[in-house]
Amino acid sequence: MDQGVAAVWAAGLAGLASAAGAAVGAGVAARGVRMQALQARELEKQTKEEERRLQHHDWRRQNCLAFQAKLGEAVDALDALMDALSDGESLDEVRGRLRQAEGAVLRGHYDLVMTCQVAELERISGAALRWLEQTLFAIDALRRDPAHVANHDSPLSQHCLDQRRGLLGSYEMFSKALPQVLPVS
């Protein structure tokens, strides 16, 4: 009977050990599933954050490209006004177009570039605004004195051309800085 009792005890212990092993195995498996779920959620969170970051970067880039286009339109309107002035044409239409372009550049600086919070582009667009304003002042002075319009070597004509070159320089600086500061993602 001692051997029988010992066999029952041994079988009981083996069953208990087997059940305990199964329980431990189930616990480890459940922990593994929880870890996988946590890792999957973390990966999903990182993916969403990266997607938001890329969308924000693209939004900033599109804003700056829109400002660049507005600045280009202002330069075109400025050139049209200078051509009309030297050709002796009516300035009403081209002057109105230039004033609209000036307003668009001013709004674009604050609404498009400043909201992107890129210091280098803010500095360049601010300089472009100053150059545009100075060029408009020079053109107004030139327009008031028609003798200088015909004489391209006059100091007033040269000043107007210098201001225009400064504006074009700012446009080029903005165009070159944009892909460096906000590269295509």
Side-chain angles (χ1 to χ4, degrees):
M1 205 61 175
D2 288 333
Q3 284 183 346
V5 171
V8 169
W9 273 97
L13 285 176
L16 184 62
S18 176
V24 168
V28 169
R31 184 173 187 271
V33 169
R34 281 194 307 272
M35 288 301 293
Q36 285 178 341
L38 284 173
Q39 288 172 346
R41 279 190 295 240
E42 185 62 30
L43 181 61
E44 184 179 332
K45 180 181 172 185
Q46 288 174 354
T47 303
K48 285 181 181 180
E49 287 174 4
E50 180 67 14
E51 186 177 308
R52 277 194 298 271
R53 189 189 67 74
L54 289 174
Q55 286 174 347
H56 182 68
H57 178 80
D58 188 50
W59 171 83
R60 292 167 60 193
R61 182 169 172 69
Q62 293 305 318
N63 277 359
C64 290
L65 287 171
F67 174 78
Q68 182 181 1
K70 291 177 188 307
L71 190 57
E73 291 168 9
V75 170
D76 291 344
L78 178 67
D79 289 344
L81 180 66
M82 291 177 80
D83 290 344
L85 193 60
S86 65
D87 293 344
E89 297 173 3
S90 172
L91 302 178
D92 293 336
E93 184 180 324
V94 289
R95 205 155 180 272
R97 181 176 154 215
L98 181 58
R99 292 296 175 198
Q100 284 180 339
E102 177 191 19
V105 168
L106 181 63
R107 284 186 306 278
H109 170 73
Y110 290 105
D111 295 344
L112 299 172
V113 178
M114 296 296 284
T115 59
C116 292
Q117 298 177 340
V118 179
E120 184 175 354
L121 296 178
E122 290 174 10
R123 182 184 55 78
I124 296 169
S125 67
L129 277 175
R130 288 187 293 281
W131 280 112
L132 179 59
E133 182 181 34
Q134 292 301 314
T135 305
L136 292 174
F137 287 147
I139 285 178
D140 285 343
L142 190 62
R143 192 175 51 85
R144 284 191 292 270
D145 193 351
H148 289 283
V149 173
N151 182 5
H152 294 293
D153 295 327
S154 75
L156 200 52
S157 287
Q158 288 302 309
H159 177 68
C160 187
L161 291 174
D162 289 342
Q163 298 301 313
R164 182 185 174 280
R165 277 192 283 276
L167 176 61
L168 285 175
S170 291
Y171 177 83
E172 289 172 7
M173 282 176 49
F174 193 89
S175 298
K176 288 178 183 175
L178 181 59
Q180 293 173 0
V181 177
L182 294 173
V184 177
S185 51

